[in-house]
Amino acid sequence: MSGDRELDVVVFGATGFAGRLVAGYLAGHAPGGVRIGLAGRSGRRLADVRAGLGAAASDWPLLVADSADLVSLAALARAARVVVSTVGPYRARGLALVEACAGAGTDYADLTGEVLFIRDSIDRCHDVAAAAGARIVHCCGFDSVPSDLGVLGLHEAARADGAGDLLDTTLVVTAVRGGVSGGTLASMMGQQADVRASAQLREIAADPYALSPDRVAEPDLGDEHDPGWARFDGGLGMWTGPFVMAGINTRVVRRSNALQGWAYGRQFRYREVTGFGAGPAAPLLAGAASTALKAVEAGLAFGPSRAMLARLLPSPGQGPGERTRRTGYFRIQIHARTSAGARYLGAVEAQGDPGYAASSVMLGETALCLALDRDQLPGRAGVLTPATAMGAALAARLRSAGHILTARQVTQLPRTRPRPGWPASCCTLCPARPQRLRARLRARDSINCRLAGSGSESGARSKSPRVRRDFRPRIACRG
Ligand SMILES: NC(=O)c1ccc[n+]([C@@H]2O[C@H](COP(=O)([O-])OP(=O)(O)OC[C@H]3O[C@@H](n4cnc5c(N)ncnc54)[C@H](OP(=O)(O)O)[C@@H]3O)[C@@H](O)[C@H]2O)c1
């Protein structure tokens, strides 16, 4: 450990709901010898939090700082090698600390999901942080670590196989269970209020490349707005609806691509959806979930309904209880097609409420990664993303902590160029394996075989689950 700072890691916001969980994770998992401090605006409440963390934290220093007091923030940034902040809403309370860390050459990480805050941070702090050698890493929780590391893993697997660039890449949330805290709701409402008040901010929030380091250099790939409603996705073979975090995650993943010199590809088209399967109830579930999401957004946007919801929903400082945090989970698949015609499938999964139990693991491991794994990190500084700041080092830590992150090829590379009008990936199936073929048709992986059957080829792609079920394929493999 470098001796130029009093501490290795400080948790700012340790008295809040997420901050207490992150502090608890570090108390239970940081290796001995790592010097950790707790920061917040009340010394008395910090002492109460520390007392609840057990013997491992009994001698952790307490630092009093307020996000409105620049002197206290400068002292905080100088005290530690890594500051992690759970003080939100971040656009209202976060920028001064980022500026202090950038100027002091101190690594910084947080749990924000606020696009407008990150845009401000990039504009104000990227160059200063890059010059001072500081890694400023936003979005180190459920948004956007699974998306960012999941896509990085697919890119690395495709590159290792010589399978070309990533093209259409879709993250599908296949299962998720968890709660929400008052701080998260306050942050969502804060961003909504900002967007309502300013046409310029509305435009930034709606821009798929809102976090780009070089907006004019981004490729024009047509409409890349986040899907808003339920629809049957023929490529995935399932009903999909919007994913509530797509608005932040997709921007972070696109920034990761740009910060790596568009290493994923210049034709990288990325989107995130919630998957509802292809069963008879799927269209209803997808429609109901999409409508409910729109209703909550609308409810939070208007004064009277917002006031009513505020009485029903958790207040700042409150969040999901111990049982909800323990029994929660998330399961994510990422489907990608590459320029060489291969298909890849990534999986990111963890047990525990995504926003709180799993996010405290993600932010806690981020803090340890920035503090302890410096020699394994990419040689970058500035306002970065989880993938570009830590990449494989963070993925390895999360795997050790029990999270699943995998990426594998699910088709072979094509042996010949696909015939015009045929799907671009190779058939790894054979006519002797009708079961696998049918499973794959259901999953809508393209195959390079002539399809024929009791229906037409379009039967296999029908939006109707019944028509697809009844389609009996025979194939004539061209391979
Ligand atoms: N990305 C994710 O997956 C994820 C998951 C969870 C949370 N989050 C985000 O994390 C943030 C915190 O959420 P939360 O539920 O923990 O909120 P919270 O319980 O309301 O905690 C907010 C914290 O900020 C502190 N604070 C408020 N004003 C301050 C000021 N002027 N100076 C210093 N500290 C101040 C509070 O201190 P006091 O105790 O003194 O009031 C408290 O410690 C939110 O923005 C939320 O969206 C993101």
Side-chain angles (χ1 to χ4, degrees):
M1 285 282 109
S2 135
D4 67 336
R5 302 286 168 104
E6 179 196 336
L7 297 167
D8 297 311
V9 174
V10 167
V11 181
F12 185 43
T15 53
F17 188 77
R20 287 194 301 269
L21 296 175
V22 174
Y25 182 79
L26 288 171
H29 297 85
V34 179
R35 300 162 304 169
I36 298 172
L38 301 178
R41 57 183 170 172
S42 158
R44 185 185 50 77
R45 272 181 289 135
L46 285 172
D48 289 347
V49 169
R50 182 177 62 183
L53 295 179
S58 59
D59 61 349
W60 286 4
L62 306 179
L63 293 85
V64 174
D66 191 299
S67 63
D69 174 358
L70 300 189
V71 175
S72 71
L73 297 181
L76 188 60
R78 281 196 307 272
R81 300 178 72 198
V82 181
V83 174
V84 296
S85 173
T86 56
V87 173
Y90 288 89
R91 190 156 192 266
R93 298 175 183 154
L95 196 56
L97 176 62
V98 179
E99 287 179 320
C101 289
T106 303
D107 288 351
Y108 164 97
D110 67 26
L111 283 180
T112 190
E114 298 166 47
V115 171
L116 298 175
F117 163 66
I118 304 170
R119 186 66 256 172
D120 289 346
S121 165
I122 294 166
D123 293 341
R124 298 266 285 274
C125 305
H126 179 78
D127 292 343
V128 177
R135 295 179 175 89
I136 305 294
V137 200
H138 301 297
C139 302
C140 296
F142 185 51
D143 37 336
S144 304
V145 168
S147 310
D148 209 24
L149 292 188
V151 174
L152 177 72
L154 288 178
H155 157 67
E156 286 176 344
R159 192 185 51 185
D161 295 345
D165 291 346
L166 299 183
L167 301 178
D168 295 314
T169 302
T170 304
L171 179 147
V172 185
V173 180
T174 56
V176 66
R177 184 158 132 187
V180 67
S181 71
T184 295
L185 290 166
S187 299
M188 286 167 61
M189 287 192 269
Q191 175 147 307
Q192 275 193 347
D194 289 343
V195 159
R196 270 199 312 277
S198 157
Q200 193 196 353
L201 296 182
R202 208 157 38 243
E203 205 175 300
I204 294 171
D207 181 1
Y209 292 95
L211 302 182
S212 173
D214 186 354
R215 182 65 186 87
V216 291
E218 293 290 357
D220 180 0
L221 302 178
D223 183 7
E224 290 192 84
H225 286 99
D226 305 312
W229 293 102
R231 63 181 276 266
F232 184 80
D233 187 312
L236 297 168
M238 66 172 83
W239 281 88
T240 62
F243 175 43
V244 66
M245 281 158 182
I248 178 66
N249 292 342
T250 55
R251 277 80 173 149
V252 170
V253 170
R254 292 185 192 110
R255 179 170 177 80
S256 290
N257 188 26
L259 286 175
Q260 296 171 86
W262 290 278
Y264 301 166
R266 294 285 297 170
Q267 301 295 312
F268 172 67
R269 279 180 68 90
Y270 182 66
R271 66 197 172 110
E272 298 196 346
V273 296
T274 305
F276 293 90
L284 284 177
L285 290 173
S290 307
T291 308
L293 184 61
K294 296 279 176 213
V296 170
E297 279 173 5
L300 292 175
F302 295 107
S305 50
R306 189 166 58 239
M308 198 182 73
L309 282 170
R311 280 200 294 278
L312 302 173
L313 296 170
S315 308
Q318 299 175 338
E322 194 277 330
R323 189 164 183 280
T324 306
R325 297 201 303 272
R326 185 169 36 81
T327 57
Y329 53 81
F330 71 87
R331 287 197 277 280
I332 282 171
Q333 292 181 346
I334 313 177
H335 301 251
R337 192 165 64 80
T338 76
S339 54
R343 282 181 179 270
Y344 282 77
L345 180 63
V348 189
E349 300 177 10
Q351 179 63 34
D353 181 313
Y356 301 93
S359 285
S360 58
V361 176
M362 294 178 211
L363 187 58
E365 290 297 342
T366 293
L368 296 175
C369 187
L370 290 171
L372 305 180
D373 302 344
R374 290 187 164 226
D375 52 348
Q376 298 165 42
L377 302 184
R380 295 189 184 91
V383 178
L384 306 173
T385 57
T388 55
M390 295 166 287
L394 180 60
R397 280 188 165 275
L398 292 176
R399 283 191 195 100
S400 299
H403 289 203
I404 293 170
L405 289 112
T406 61
R408 65 189 171 89
Q409 191 181 138
V410 289
T411 60
Q412 294 167 356
L413 299 177
R415 283 159 288 183
T416 55
R417 280 151 59 106
R419 282 188 197 169
W422 284 20
S425 65
C426 178
C427 172
T428 56
L429 304 164
C430 111
R433 289 171 160 172
Q435 292 285 30
R436 279 188 61 188
L437 170 64
R438 293 188 61 188
R440 187 155 289 201
L441 281 171
R442 273 194 217 108
R444 281 308 304 128
D445 270 338
S446 303
I447 56 170
N448 246 359
C449 297
R450 182 181 300 282
L451 292 169
S454 58
S456 64
E457 182 171 348
S458 64
R461 298 201 173 95
S462 167
K463 287 189 178 180
S464 154
R466 189 185 56 76
V467 174
R468 283 199 318 285
R469 195 182 56 232
D470 293 345
F471 173 69
R472 303 241 183 280
R474 295 191 311 272
I475 59 171
C477 185
R478 71 182 181 79

